[in-house]
Amino acid sequence: MSLVDRAAAEPAAVLREAVAALASARGAERVAARLAACLAHVELGEPAPAARHARLALAAAERAGLSGLAGSVRLVRAWLAVDRGRPRAALAELDRARGLAGVELAKARCLRGAAYFALREPAAAELNAAVAGLADEPRWLANALIVRGADACYRGQAARGQADFAAAEGILAGLGMRERAAVCVHNQGFAALRSGDSVAALRLFDAAERAGADPLRHPEMLLDRAEALGPEEAAPVLRRAIVLLRAAGKERKLAEAMVALARCSLRGKEFGAAEGAAREAVELFRRQRRPGWAALARVLGLWAAIEGEGRRPGAAAVGPALLWATAGRVAGVCARAGWAAEADELRLVAGRAAVRGGREALGRRLFGQVRAAARWRARAELARGGEVLAVCRRGLRSGWDQELAEVGLGAALTSGDAATVLRWARRCRGDELAGPGVLEYFVHENRIWAGCQGRVHRLGEVAEVRREMAVLRLVGGSAERLERLLLPESGTGPIRVLAPVELAGVPWNGLPSLAGRAVSVLPPGWRPGEGGAGAPLWVAGPGLPGAVAEVRALHRRFGGRLLAGAQATVARTVRAVAGAGLVHVAAHGRQGGWLELADGRVRVAELLARAAGTVVLSACGAGRALGRGRGVVVASVLEVADSGTGAMMLALHERLRREPPAAALAAVQRVHGHRGFVCVGQAVSLPRRSRASSRTSSRLQ
């Protein structure tokens, strides 16, 4: 087997042999040695020396008059250019490659399709031809399938993309190329993300890393992971990706990572960070001659600047006026480049700011330029008084728009009628759940509100609540101040809390007024459980002697299946969860919603997606990672002591056999403490809003 053929499997050894051969090799042998060194550097994640060897290989081939070899070297140089985010350079190399035929021509079509895909130009014809012509070149066939799969995902055909990625994985696994096959598993996660299933996407991303896909060598993987996460989790992932992409010289993906960071910072209301990331992205896109992407980055930067200026204390109307006037022109360029939704968002933000700043004519002109799905929001901004709610209702009948529902909620709050406010809060939440003993929270413009017993209460700001929760997590102490920020008069007896994502991590059972009461917490979109019929599953992660003792005691008392020590692997646990009637995991909880198992980490979301029955997570902070889900989960939002928790858990499972989970948890907390545990979800649906409750109304509190 030649050095070139061995480069992928043995890069370090091939690099040593190739460098040694260069001392005496001439002609075709010298070109082959340079190519082998180039490919070895690629496998080792070293793009700069790989490009140098490819350049020297081309020079050697041309000096020796080896036109066929020169064409092959140009294919490698085109591949390197695509990999480093320089598709125009790749196309130039392919245009210079002469005399290609057969398999070499099919390889060139694969690379041309990859370059077109990177430029967001039609690539399907080239990629289909490449797949058809590479049947006898399995490695190249896998490459063509990967690019074709990515192209299909971006064109809205995620299922076709998934099929191509799976086919490429099979080819690469058959060739013994373990890491490349693992990257194809990651790509299948990308297809799941494009189809809207972020839980499945994260599960596949995790599986890819366990199988050997290394983000240090493929930092673009981190961009996909960040897209599947919320703003708080995504920001550090994006910053890590930016560092790695910059070090690898992948400027094209670096610019796109800057756009992703700007978007993420906008969602998290970090307007200064968003503006800085967008500014750097604009410069990168200009250098790369990508005017459409540069227009998108400018829109995000202006959006951040306008939003940030509006929140700056004492901001004057003179400075921002230039931003408002510029917004219409920049939005027009962005829309023509294919980013219509982002352009409309900028027009809305700038129009709203202009109206508030006394430039009503400019604001109306910007609202008039809004089109497509955001048109109803523009009409609502132009409406006055009670007409705003009517416009919002008409717009929502024509199609769901979360932001339009939020505009309606703001208008309802201005009206001061509690029944109207609660109707719009439920509309924004996406359900009509209500009834006695229900505390309905919602957030509007960073202020927390709560509906209870037909009244609406204005509570603390989100930032205040988050600061207080951070203090509780770090230093402990009383939750009295958190209660003052969060809790209106809520009566006595069992209570159901409908909590938005901004309140994830609140230790509801630790609030003094709720201590000892049966509290069920329902995040947005949480569904009733189906109820598992299998035996219980008891899992203990490593490094916690108390956790092992805890699950062994539970297993002895209640039977079922036990996974502890080396048996508690990620794969074994994930498979066992699917068939269990009850799941109990005692393990280290890690930031970002991870649980530590014997051979690595597993996401809480992955376990919950597979669980059918009640889940108990005896792990630090696991309750802070509960987003959308189903059934019932008992978990702690605070730290969990390794010692002393076992007795509480034994008592909890005794009661779970005869009581509803929220009542069982409250009863054991009265005896054992551990107020950081909360009960999320419930086995049956809440009642829908009744006609009687819809007539109950009062002014806002």
Side-chain angles (χ1 to χ4, degrees):
M1 187 182 291
S2 70
L3 284 177
V4 171
D5 293 331
R6 289 169 49 209
E10 308 168 53
V14 165
L15 183 58
R16 287 193 300 271
E17 293 177 39
V19 171
L22 287 171
S24 58
R26 294 292 181 268
E29 289 182 0
R30 188 170 189 82
V31 175
R34 287 287 185 193
L35 269 181
C38 165
L39 297 175
H41 277 300
V42 169
E43 294 299 326
L44 294 169
E46 298 165 352
R52 184 175 67 85
H53 279 293
R55 175 173 54 80
L56 293 172
L58 179 62
E62 289 179 338
R63 276 198 310 271
L66 302 169
S67 58
L69 267 180
S72 298
V73 174
R74 287 196 182 278
L75 291 183
V76 173
R77 283 167 58 87
W79 172 39
L80 289 174
V82 168
D83 189 55
R84 299 185 74 181
R86 298 172 182 174
R88 295 188 190 282
L91 291 172
E93 288 289 349
L94 294 170
D95 289 342
R96 296 189 191 102
R98 305 296 180 191
L100 299 178
V103 170
E104 294 293 291
L105 179 59
K107 291 178 181 178
R109 300 198 75 168
C110 172
L111 291 167
R112 195 174 291 278
Y116 287 156
F117 166 68
L119 292 166
R120 297 296 187 267
E121 295 179 7
E126 294 288 347
L127 293 169
N128 288 337
V131 169
L134 290 168
D136 296 329
E137 287 281 342
R139 283 187 59 189
W140 275 88
L141 175 58
N143 291 337
L145 287 168
I146 290 167
V147 181
R148 192 174 73 171
D151 182 61
C153 288
Y154 276 109
R155 287 188 287 107
Q157 299 171 353
R160 287 188 61 182
Q162 185 103 22
D164 277 347
F165 293 143
E169 180 198 356
I171 292 169
L172 294 168
L175 292 171
M177 303 179 73
R178 176 173 167 270
E179 194 209 7
R180 289 186 184 275
V183 172
C184 289
V185 175
H186 176 94
N187 292 340
Q188 291 172 62
F190 171 74
L193 185 62
R194 285 288 158 181
S195 68
D197 192 344
S198 59
V199 172
L202 287 167
R203 183 169 67 247
L204 287 161
F205 294 159
D206 297 341
E209 290 196 32
R210 289 197 298 272
D214 186 0
L216 293 176
R217 292 185 56 191
H218 305 282
E220 52 271 31
M221 290 167 52
L222 296 173
L223 302 185
D224 298 334
R225 180 179 289 279
E227 191 177 343
L229 299 170
E232 289 187 6
E233 289 182 86
V237 174
L238 285 169
R239 292 190 178 98
R240 183 184 176 213
I242 285 166
V243 170
L244 295 173
L245 288 166
R246 205 188 300 277
K250 295 186 175 183
E251 286 199 355
R252 188 176 190 85
K253 280 295 182 182
L254 174 62
E256 293 174 21
M258 285 296 180
V259 165
L261 182 59
R263 288 184 192 273
C264 179
S265 300
L266 274 170
R267 291 202 309 270
K269 310 295 184 187
E270 296 178 359
F271 300 113
E275 194 175 351
R279 192 181 305 118
E280 183 169 352
V282 169
E283 292 306 313
L284 287 167
F285 286 130
R286 282 176 175 165
R287 287 208 302 266
Q288 296 167 17
R289 291 183 294 167
R290 298 165 73 187
W293 278 87
L296 171 64
R298 283 206 70 194
V299 159
L300 296 175
L302 269 175
W303 182 351
I306 292 168
E307 290 272 42
E309 191 70 30
R311 286 163 171 76
R312 224 167 274 160
V318 178
L322 182 59
L323 295 177
W324 307 334
T326 306
R329 178 176 57 80
V330 173
V333 174
C334 185
R336 288 192 292 275
W339 310 98
E342 289 82 357
D344 282 343
E345 289 297 336
L346 177 61
R347 291 175 178 126
L348 284 166
V349 167
R352 194 179 302 122
V355 169
R356 289 175 180 171
R359 300 285 297 275
E360 187 166 341
L362 173 58
R364 287 181 171 273
R365 187 163 70 249
L366 287 165
F367 289 143
Q369 295 169 1
V370 172
R371 51 195 172 182
R375 186 177 294 124
W376 283 103
R377 262 186 281 158
R379 292 178 184 175
E381 293 286 352
L382 292 169
R384 292 290 179 269
E387 185 188 351
V388 176
L389 290 175
V391 170
C392 291
R393 281 193 294 270
R394 288 200 299 273
L396 292 174
R397 280 197 292 270
S398 68
W400 178 252
D401 181 340
Q402 182 69 38
E403 287 78 9
L404 182 60
E406 296 285 348
V407 172
L409 176 58
L413 285 165
T414 302
S415 77
D417 180 72
T420 304
V421 170
L422 289 174
R423 279 198 298 274
W424 280 93
R426 291 162 187 159
R427 206 171 260 140
C428 290
R429 200 171 61 232
D431 62 49
E432 291 286 311
L433 302 178
V438 175
L439 191 53
E440 305 177 61
Y441 285 92
F442 59 93
V443 174
H444 184 71
E445 294 188 347
N446 295 313
R447 171 71 62 179
I448 299 167
W449 300 77
C452 184
Q453 299 175 347
R455 297 184 178 183
V456 175
H457 302 263
R458 185 176 186 269
L459 303 173
E461 292 187 353
V462 172
E464 292 179 286
V465 171
R466 283 182 172 165
R467 278 196 298 271
E468 196 59 33
M469 288 195 296
V471 169
L472 272 177
R473 288 198 297 269
L474 291 172
V475 300
S478 170
E480 288 183 4
R481 176 165 168 74
L482 186 59
E483 177 172 300
R484 287 198 296 273
L485 291 170
L486 271 182
L487 205 61
E489 175 58 44
S490 57
T492 60
I495 188 165
R496 296 179 174 107
V497 176
L498 307 183
V501 292
E502 290 86 351
L503 299 185
V506 171
W508 297 100
N509 296 52
L511 301 183
S513 297
L514 299 183
R517 294 170 63 180
V519 181
S520 300
V521 184
L522 272 79
W526 198 275
R527 295 173 290 131
E530 301 168 1
L537 172 68
W538 317 100
V539 182
L544 292 169
V548 175
E550 179 180 309
V551 299
R552 289 192 188 283
L554 291 166
H555 179 249
R556 282 195 302 270
R557 176 67 183 85
F558 302 107
R561 183 177 181 185
L562 174 66
L563 295 177
Q567 289 187 320
T569 63
V570 171
R572 192 172 288 161
T573 300
V574 168
R575 285 196 301 269
V577 161
L582 179 146
V583 176
H584 180 107
V585 181
H588 276 301
R590 303 301 187 191
Q591 188 174 5
W594 298 90
L595 298 175
E596 195 77 35
L597 295 179
D599 61 340
R601 302 176 305 168
V602 65
R603 292 190 66 87
V604 169
E606 182 174 358
L607 295 184
L608 299 187
R610 292 169 174 259
T614 299
V615 177
V616 179
L617 301 175
S618 182
C620 296
R624 300 197 295 270
L626 303 180
R628 291 182 177 270
R630 64 180 180 179
V632 179
V633 181
V634 176
S636 180
V637 298
L638 303 178
E639 299 297 299
V640 177
D642 184 37
S643 61
T645 308
M648 176 200 175
M649 289 298 155
L650 192 59
L652 174 65
H653 284 284
E654 290 281 5
R655 285 186 169 270
L656 284 175
R657 297 166 70 86
R658 59 181 187 273
E659 293 181 73
L665 178 62
V668 298
Q669 283 177 324
R670 284 194 290 268
V671 176
H672 295 273
H674 297 285
R675 302 289 184 190
F677 280 90
V678 295
C679 178
V680 176
Q682 54 184 25
V684 294
S685 298
L686 284 173
R688 299 285 169 175
R689 177 173 55 89
S690 67
R691 291 176 181 269
S693 66
S694 69
R695 290 195 297 268
T696 304
S697 179
S698 69
R699 305 303 292 175
L700 304 188
Q701 304 296 303

